[in-house]
Amino acid sequence: MISYQTKVWHVDNVVEEQKYYPQLDEASALLRAGEAIAFPTETVYGLGANALSSAAVKRIFEAKGRPSDNPLIVHIADQQAVHQLVRSIPEKAQRLMDAFWPGPLTLIFPKKEGIAAEVTAGLDSVGIRMPDHPLALALIRATGLPLAAPSANRSGRPSPTTAAHVEEDLQGKIAGIVDGGATGVGVESTVLDVTLDPPMILRPGGVTKEALERVVGKVAVDPAVTMQADEQPRAPGMKYQHYAPQAEMWTVDAPSVEAQTALIRERIGQARRSLGDESQEGSHRELKIGVLATTETQAEYAGIADYVAVCGSRHDLASVARGLYDALRSFDQQQVEFILAESFPTTGVGAAIMNRLNKAAGNQVIRA
Ligand code: TXA
Ligand code: MG
């Protein structure tokens, strides 16, 4: 594998209107030359490469250590570009593009020839989205290419929401990183299969089921999304362990927030006692225990947990989505060994939050 001197281009004052960013000149030249470059989107940072070049797309898989059977999303900067990539546009898909693009919605279409086979992992369909981020759009326009881009993390780790997260994972493995500050939504796009009717959510994300249904009526959800693991998910990527900190992690579910925090406190006590039993004769070993909490609940774990990561406020699930991956990554920085995570309602963006938390925990749940 090639070793890179990874360049970082900082772009301040990222504004909404279409603007020329000279910092993107070198990044777009490298993309045209077949390199992989990380860039911000409104959801998470992506690792982009020319979607029409097999050699370029292979760089993505190599840098991420991504299984080759997991297809990539193609990013475009205007709706017209869809026509070069897909065989047909279902009527509901057109309505969804008009309503949600640019934005955190990936649509699965029947694919046309020309897209590198590696992008679609041999499938007959392709996922496409138009990101709602001025730098992502400017970069795609500057290259004049559709950019295949998965999240810019090492495979299995939490997705990156800052350029520093990308550096943590991919320093030396990619040609460069466009640093446009923290991303906004914080969880990835919703992946919706529009080759089916009703359309089916393969991965919940930034655009909620409720919002989709206001535009196209009934929307189905792949049963594999809501956890019960035996089902084979339709989005190949959903079958892999994902978003996971190094520590053993459990989500904790109870009918009320008060019951959740009480259960977490109780479980921390149990975990410490059982370790105490094990080490009766030998020296006492400390288990570093972390809790994923919210601004409203963090005080409950003071003096009980060794580390508390606050992802956001329960009154604002969007803030939880925005802070989720940074909180998950912080457990590794703190070398936490055992994590208990609070649960959230699965309405709105809560569906995406709980999907990611359950995956990070390998579906391990403690129930009241
Ligand atoms: O917000 C996002 O979607 C971010 C930013 C960078 O755009 N990208 C992202 O890509 O999350 P990635 O590769 O981490 O996740 C793509 C997901 C995977 O679960 C993959 O299996 C699924 O989309 N996917 C892609 N193409 C597909 C297809 N043709 N059929 C079914 N699932 C597909
Ligand atoms: Mg990913």
Side-chain angles (χ1 to χ4, degrees), residues 44 64 66 70 150-153 157 159 188 203 242-243:
V44 300
K64 282 188 55 105
R66 181 176 176 109
N70 189 5
S151 50
N153 50 286
R157 296 210 73 211
S159 299
E188 299 85 344
R203 177 180 72 178
H242 246 113
Y243 320 114

Side-chain angles (χ1 to χ4, degrees), residues 283-347:
S283 59
H284 185 75
R285 198 182 84 81
E286 288 294 328
L287 178 70
K288 189 154 186 190
I289 301 179
V291 176
L292 183 74
T294 51
T295 45
E296 291 79 11
T297 56
Q298 64 177 130
E300 300 287 332
Y301 312 111
I304 294 174
D306 299 303
Y307 172 69
V308 180
V310 174
C311 53
S313 163
R314 291 200 159 264
H315 299 304
D316 177 13
L317 281 186
S319 75
V320 173
R322 207 155 44 235
L324 187 65
Y325 289 139
D326 186 67
L328 288 177
R329 279 178 179 259
S330 75
F331 289 116
D332 286 346
Q333 268 146 14
Q334 299 290 325
Q335 299 182 327
V336 169
E337 300 165 274
F338 185 69
I339 303 168
L340 295 170
E342 294 183 359
S343 293
F344 297 89
T346 53
T347 48

